């Protein structure tokens, strides 16, 4: 009985061993193969999608980089053109300043004997300044945002205004206004572009410089015996100073004007003192022997009969 039970156990253990060592069914191998194949296909698809995305990113980054380079190239070209234009404008402004000063020096050669000839020569020189040098400045600045380059051309414009207003005062005794100056510059511009117009700030700064030249002219006229003309200049300069005293505090860029207001006050005082000295102390001057000028007398007494 014991032998039969041991034989039975031995048989059961052998059967279990055979079952354990038996190969797996074919369908499990097929499932495993199909899953492996499916996984391989998905992995290949994932890799292809990633490669196409990377290519698109590289293309977009290269295109954006080229666009940025083009943008900065345009900025650099714009700044280079602006700097070159500024240099040309500065050169034109210097030429205007130099030649306008020559016109002012020509006006100071005036006397009661050659007034007409001197003014004609000064007007001719002023027209040459406008046609040769101011026109070059207008051609550079027309049709552009010329406010960006105002500091480059402002000194020349102020000097031109000073010369033009001085010639006009000596000829007519009146002030040349800004609208008349801008109207004279319109023929220099191309009608298809926005013309260069002198702004009110440059006009007032040039007008402030005019008072200094009028002071020199008044002193010269007093020394030449034209007291009435010097008094006319004194009233004119005093009126300009009075008007600008009201306007200067309201100006946006008033630092330059404040400096010129002090100089203008000194010019007014010099003209007034010169005219006052002639009126008060004029009786102390003795006319030259043989002179027909009886405007001065000796200590207030009538002139001696010649």
């Amino acid at each position: 009985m014991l032998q039969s039970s041991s034989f039975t156990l031995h048989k059961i253990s052998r059967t279990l061993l055979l079952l354990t060592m038996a190969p797996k069914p074919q369908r499990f191998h097929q499932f495993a193969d199909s899953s492996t194949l499916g996984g391989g296909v998905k992995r290949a698809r994932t890799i292809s999608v990633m490669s196409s995305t990377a290519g698109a990113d590289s293309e977009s980054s290269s295109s954006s980089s080229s666009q940025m380079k083009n943008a900065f190239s345009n900025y650099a070209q714009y700044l280079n053109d602006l700097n070159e234009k500024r240099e040309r404008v500065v050169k034109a402004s210097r030429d205007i300043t130099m030649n306008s000063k020559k016109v002012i020096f020509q006006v100071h050669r005036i006397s009661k004997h050659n007034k007409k000839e001197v003014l004609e020569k000064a007007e001719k020189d002023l027209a040459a300044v406008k046609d040769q040098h101011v026109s070059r400045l207008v051609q550079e600045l027309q049709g552009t945002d010329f406010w960006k380059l105002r500091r480059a051309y402002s000194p020349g414009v102020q000097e031109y205004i000073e010369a033009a207003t001085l010639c006009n005062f000596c000829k007519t005794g009146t002030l040349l206004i800004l609208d008349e100056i801008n109207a004279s510059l319109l023929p220099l511009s191309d009608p298809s572009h926005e013309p260069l117009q002198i702004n009110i700030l440059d006009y007032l700064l040039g007008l402030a410089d005019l008072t200094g030249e009028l002071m020199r002219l008044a002193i010269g006229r007093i020394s030449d015996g034209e007291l009435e003309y010097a008094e006319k200049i004194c009233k004119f300069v005093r009126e300009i100073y009075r008007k600008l005293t009201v306007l200067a505090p309201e100006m946006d860029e008033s630092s330059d004007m404040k400096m010129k207001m002090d100089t203008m006050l000194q010019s007014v005082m010099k003209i007034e003192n010169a005219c006052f000295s002639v009126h008060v102390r004029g009786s102390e001057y003795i006319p030259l022997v043989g002179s027909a000028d009886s405007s001065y007398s000796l200590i207030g007494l009538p002139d001696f009969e010649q």
Side-chain angles (χ1 to χ4, degrees):
M1 188 173 180
L2 288 172
Q3 291 179 354
S4 62
S5 59
S6 63
F7 176 78
T8 303
L9 289 173
H10 179 71
K11 187 176 182 180
I12 291 172
S13 62
R14 185 177 180 183
T15 302
L16 289 174
L17 181 61
L18 291 174
L19 288 174
T20 305
M21 295 178 64
K24 294 181 179 181
Q26 185 67 23
R27 59 189 184 92
F28 288 109
H29 287 284
Q30 293 175 355
F31 178 77
D33 294 339
S34 64
S35 65
T36 305
L37 256 156
V41 171
K42 287 182 180 178
R43 184 176 298 174
R45 188 181 303 162
T46 304
I47 292 172
S48 64
V49 171
M50 289 176 63
S51 62
S52 62
T53 305
D57 291 341
S58 63
E59 291 178 359
S60 62
S61 63
S62 62
S63 62
S64 62
S65 177
S66 62
Q67 291 177 359
M68 185 177 297
K69 288 181 180 178
N70 293 333
F72 275 94
S73 297
N74 294 332
Y75 300 153
Q77 186 64 36
Y78 171 77
L79 292 176
N80 290 333
D81 294 341
L82 185 63
N83 289 331
E84 292 176 359
K85 182 183 287 292
R86 181 182 288 108
E87 293 298 325
R88 294 193 298 269
V89 169
V90 169
K91 178 63 169 60
S93 177
R94 289 174 180 171
D95 293 339
I96 294 172
T97 301
M98 180 179 62
N99 290 276
S100 297
K101 286 184 180 295
K102 292 180 180 179
V103 175
I104 295 173
F105 296 154
Q106 174 66 27
V107 174
H108 282 300
R109 295 188 179 97
I110 194 172
S111 68
K112 57 185 177 182
H113 303 294
N114 63 352
K115 181 178 180 180
K116 183 178 179 180
E117 292 79 5
V118 169
L119 290 181
E120 287 179 355
K121 179 68 166 58
E123 289 178 349
K124 182 179 179 181
D125 294 343
L126 185 64
V129 173
K130 184 181 71 173
D131 295 336
Q132 296 178 12
H133 305 290
V134 178
S135 62
R136 182 152 52 94
L137 181 66
V138 170
Q139 294 297 325
E140 287 290 344
L141 295 175
Q142 67 177 355
T144 61
D145 192 4
F146 49 82
W147 283 95
K148 297 178 181 178
L149 301 175
R150 178 187 166 271
R151 288 291 183 182
Y153 68 82
S154 179
V157 170
Q158 294 178 30
E159 198 71 26
Y160 175 77
I161 292 172
E162 183 180 355
T165 50
L166 181 61
C167 289
N168 187 80
F169 175 80
C170 293
K171 182 179 180 180
T172 64
T174 58
L175 178 64
L176 183 65
I177 62 176
L178 178 61
D179 292 338
E180 295 176 351
I181 298 176
N182 283 329
S184 66
L185 298 181
L186 286 178
L188 304 177
S189 304
D190 188 352
S192 61
H193 295 84
E194 181 182 358
L196 172 65
Q197 296 288 280
I198 298 175
N199 59 78
I200 185 65
L201 180 58
D202 290 335
Y203 175 74
L204 293 178
L205 292 174
L207 199 61
D209 293 334
L210 170 67
T211 57
E213 301 301 332
L214 289 176
M215 181 270 295
R216 298 181 183 90
L217 185 64
I219 300 300
R221 296 305 88 227
I222 291 175
S223 64
D224 204 18
E226 297 184 81
L227 181 59
E228 293 182 359
Y229 193 63
E231 291 176 348
K232 180 181 178 180
I233 294 175
C234 182
K235 293 178 182 179
F236 184 75
V237 174
R238 189 188 296 126
E239 186 67 18
I240 292 177
Y241 177 75
R242 188 176 67 85
K243 297 292 186 181
L244 291 182
T245 303
V246 179
L247 290 177
E250 304 297 329
M251 296 173 63
D252 294 334
E253 299 181 8
S254 59
S255 58
D256 295 338
M257 181 58 73
K258 288 179 180 178
M259 296 175 59
K260 295 190 177 185
M261 289 297 293
D262 296 336
T263 307
M264 194 186 311
L265 178 60
Q266 295 176 7
S267 299
V268 174
M269 294 175 63
K270 287 179 181 178
I271 301 174
E272 290 178 345
N273 291 335
C275 294
F276 178 79
S277 298
V278 171
H279 276 290
V280 173
R281 303 178 60 186
S283 59
E284 300 177 4
Y285 291 94
I286 302 175
L288 296 175
V289 177
S291 174
D293 187 5
S294 59
S295 58
Y296 303 114
S297 59
L298 178 62
I299 317 179
L301 298 177
D303 295 336
F304 293 103
E305 294 183 0
Q306 302 296 331

